[in-house]
Amino acid sequence: MAASNPRSMKAEARWPNAEGLCQRAVRAPVPAPPQGPPVGSGVAGLEFPLPQEPQAANPGTPGTWAGAVAGRRTPSAQIPVPAQRAPPGKARLDEVMAAAALTSLSTSPLCLEAPATAFSPEPSPDVWKEGLARPPGSYSSSSNSGDWGWDLASDQSSPSTPSPPLPPETAHFLFGEPTLRKRKSSVQVMFQCLWKNCGKVLSTASGMQRHIRLVHLGRQAEPEQSDGEEDFYYTELDVGVDALTNGLSSLTPMTPTATVPPAFPHLELQSCSSPQLYPVCCSPDLALAPPPMLNSVAPQQVCHSDHAHQDLVAPIHLELRATEVRACTPALPSKLGANLRKPRGDAKKCRKVYGMDHRDLWCTACRWKKACQRFLD
DNA sequence: TGTGCCGGGAA
DNA sequence: TTCCCGGCACA
């Protein structure tokens, strides 16, 4: 009695730890608590227009996610809520491309967090804020200092104007190294027009600018006359699997399901700061053929190598869909201890063979409730 | 619910 | 070191 208590207490004490690990693993992706900036506020700047969204023209749908973001976005530019959205293949592809485009912005959270000193010997928040300053009509820094939301109001005012994302060039300028580092990989950079109903993808920025000038802005202007406005109407896409698989080598687009145990060695559960678990549930396949619950998040959950970016993008959805996220990490061991446990063999053991009645025939290990040494697996 | 066996205590 | 068993995961 008295002897059994401590034992059971110990036994209980074991698992809470293991569960703690498990919970941590599961929770890791859950974004910082809502006490920060309201959902969406910190990410508004990263919201991405889907130029070819066929139903985008519909005025705001009440009760949609966009509504939850306090109507800061014009319905035409918001990431659609899939519940009512028919997912045509092309639009899906565009979403994937849009998500890929987000990868080009992937340095922003990292770098926004990183002190300016990391890149500049003379750090001054104003310096890069100046860098952010855009001509009127592009994005605005009106909302908050350093907040990368563009002016949603102006976006609403001109429905035919695409909502420009953070130009990668600016990202280069502002954040420099991380983006450059990314360029080192063998990704092919494409440029996608963000004008509605266009989505044209060209391989060169100049070509894209010319396209925008000619087709959308109706200008014949020479490049040197450019006011740079075109820059905001296209985005840079990293087209290449290595961008997706870098750091997630197991999560190749070929991976048939999201259950990718081999990917776990790449996950760093210890790294609390980065939601490393996202990639697991965000297999590219999910983006292409998301389960019903994940429809809306799939485009932004496209895997890419930059976890820091996920930090910024994913929280919106995770906050809204923490349960889905949890549900889509099937390969996670329920308990760490269970993982360490030797899998049970199929062979019959002494107990089964001889039965409880002939316990004396059991091997010693079986008698001692240890792993059977007679009928090895 | 039965089985296999890990973890750990007692002798 | 040997013996034993609580308790857990799994089928």
Side-chain angles (χ1 to χ4, degrees):
Chain A
M1 186 69 101
S4 66
N5 276 342
R7 176 173 276 193
S8 62
M9 287 177 65
K10 276 182 206 163
E12 287 176 4
R14 276 206 305 270
W15 288 114
N17 287 342
E19 292 208 25
L21 273 174
C22 175
Q23 287 177 352
R24 184 176 171 194
V26 170
R27 285 179 183 169
V30 176
Q35 64 209 24
V39 171
S41 72
V43 194
L46 282 179
E47 289 173 1
F48 197 85
L50 299 176
Q52 292 188 327
E53 183 54 42
Q55 300 181 347
N58 245 1
T61 308
T64 63
W65 170 78
V69 195
R72 293 186 57 194
R73 264 203 122 355
T74 174
S76 63
Q78 74 205 17
I79 293 175
V81 176
Q84 289 105 349
R85 196 188 63 176
K90 192 168 182 224
R92 174 65 60 195
L93 181 60
D94 288 341
E95 291 173 5
V96 172
M97 295 179 71
L102 282 171
T103 65
S104 69
L105 309 176
S106 58
T107 55
S108 26
L110 177 66
C111 300
L112 286 174
E113 266 187 39
T117 52
F119 305 111
S120 166
E122 297 181 5
S124 168
D126 294 332
V127 169
W128 65 272
K129 266 189 228 168
E130 287 176 13
L132 297 183
R134 310 302 310 185
S138 57
Y139 13 39
S140 83
S141 53
S142 61
S143 47
N144 295 327
S145 59
D147 187 347
W148 268 98
W150 58 75
D151 194 336
L152 300 167
S154 69
D155 190 22
Q156 277 177 322
S157 67
S158 57
S160 65
T161 302
S163 306
L166 175 63
E169 294 80 7
T170 308
H172 283 262
F173 171 72
L174 292 174
F175 308 129
E177 198 231 344
T179 310
L180 291 176
R181 190 190 309 138
K182 192 175 179 182
R183 293 289 172 267
K184 286 180 187 171
S185 66
S186 60
V187 294
Q188 179 184 358
V189 178
M190 303 294 284
F191 299 86
Q192 182 182 25
C193 179
L194 295 177
W195 282 83
K196 282 194 179 62
N197 303 318
C198 179
K200 188 178 182 67
V201 176
L202 296 176
S203 58
T204 64
S206 58
M208 178 54 66
Q209 289 176 6
R210 193 182 318 123
H211 159 79
I212 291 171
R213 277 196 301 272
L214 292 176
V215 177
H216 300 302
L217 298 178
R219 296 180 193 167
Q220 299 288 335
E222 298 295 321
E224 56 267 26
Q225 295 179 274
S226 164
D227 55 4
E229 191 177 358
E230 318 84 24
D231 293 356
F232 313 130
Y233 297 156
Y234 68 89
T235 188
E236 196 174 340
L237 301 178
D238 288 341
V239 182
V241 285
D242 57 346
L244 296 175
T245 57
N246 184 16
L248 292 168
S249 54
S250 303
L251 286 176
T252 67
M254 315 275 278
T255 307
T257 67
T259 59
V260 279
F264 282 98
H266 301 277
L267 298 177
E268 300 165 7
L269 297 182
Q270 292 82 4
S271 178
C272 306
S273 59
S274 60
Q276 304 284 3
L277 291 183
Y278 282 111
V280 176
C281 68
C282 306
S283 133
D285 300 275
L286 286 181
L288 294 173
M293 300 278 287
L294 285 174
N295 275 348
S296 65
V297 274
Q300 292 204 355
Q301 286 189 332
V302 169
C303 285
H304 53 78
S305 58
D306 196 324
H307 302 304
H309 176 236
Q310 293 169 356
D311 281 343
L312 200 62
V313 172
I316 307 179
H317 304 286
L318 280 177
E319 180 139 355
L320 297 172
R321 301 173 202 286
T323 54
E324 289 93 317
V325 169
R326 195 173 8 247
C328 69
T329 54
L332 261 185
S334 58
K335 288 187 177 180
L336 195 59
N339 224 21
L340 299 174
R341 209 171 180 132
K342 193 168 66 178
R344 182 185 295 185
D346 290 336
K348 285 193 172 186
K349 307 297 178 177
C350 297
R351 182 188 186 115
K352 262 261 175 78
V353 172
Y354 302 110
M356 292 294 290
D357 296 335
H358 300 90
R359 190 169 176 171
D360 51 334
L361 295 178
W362 293 10
C363 70
T364 315
C366 280
R367 261 185 277 139
W368 296 346
K369 293 175 80 171
K370 299 293 182 186
C372 180
Q373 294 172 343
R374 183 173 297 170
F375 304 102
L376 301 174
D377 296 310

